[in-house]
Amino acid sequence: MNRFKRLVLAAAVAGVSFSVTAPKVEAQVSVDIGAEPECPYGYYDYAPYDCAPYGYYAPEWFVGGVFLGAGPWFHGPANFRGHIDSRFDVRRGYRGEVPNRGDGREASKPLDQIDHFRGDEMHDARGHAGGGGHVGGGRR
């Protein structure tokens, strides 16, 4: 009988312990990401969001000459996916000319029609590669 009393007591303690709830605490987290990078042909879709060279992004990433943005500053359709040309990605060995923040566009480099564009990947605005989804903006 002594064992039975211990079992009942243990079950009662466990029941009381599980019924006690922790007090609710509300937290607010705010992260300031700063201003969107000012780059003439867009910026890479990964930190530190350096300027991308002309030809990295396909015309669908630009609407009326304005870059839809990437990463935390993206301001296009929720399901957007657009072409990029990974040959112009510095993480993949590109060592050519890359504009600096604040540089102007060259008139000879239109954003609505990039001659000989060879997009080899589809990216969403957060840099995830893959196919499908909405392609919007200029002509490809």
Side-chain angles (χ1 to χ4, degrees):
M1 195 69 170
N2 202 8
R3 262 187 165 168
F4 181 71
K5 287 181 182 177
R6 286 185 195 163
L7 182 61
V8 169
L9 181 61
V13 169
V16 170
S17 297
F18 289 122
S19 67
V20 175
T21 60
K24 284 190 174 183
V25 177
E26 292 187 29
Q28 182 175 353
V29 177
S30 177
V31 178
D32 183 11
I33 57 172
E36 181 176 7
E38 293 183 31
C39 298
Y41 311 112
Y43 44 86
Y44 290 112
D45 51 13
Y46 52 84
Y49 304 101
D50 290 330
C51 293
Y54 180 76
Y56 177 75
Y57 286 107
E60 66 251 22
W61 286 88
F62 301 89
V63 176
V66 176
F67 182 54
L68 288 177
W73 302 280
F74 180 71
H75 44 84
N79 62 342
F80 178 85
R81 295 184 102 55
H83 294 90
I84 62 110
D85 189 338
S86 66
R87 295 175 306 141
F88 293 106
D89 191 338
V90 295
R91 292 187 309 184
R92 296 184 181 184
Y94 177 70
R95 300 286 178 251
E97 186 178 331
V98 177
N100 294 307
R101 292 182 185 205
D103 284 355
R105 292 186 183 144
E106 293 182 32
S108 63
K109 296 179 176 179
L111 298 175
D112 62 340
Q113 181 64 43
I114 300 174
D115 292 334
H116 310 293
F117 179 79
R118 293 185 358 186
D120 57 354
E121 288 183 13
M122 292 281 287
H123 279 206
D124 69 10
R126 304 282 184 232
H128 302 112
H134 173 78
V135 177
R139 295 169 284 172
R140 284 183 288 148

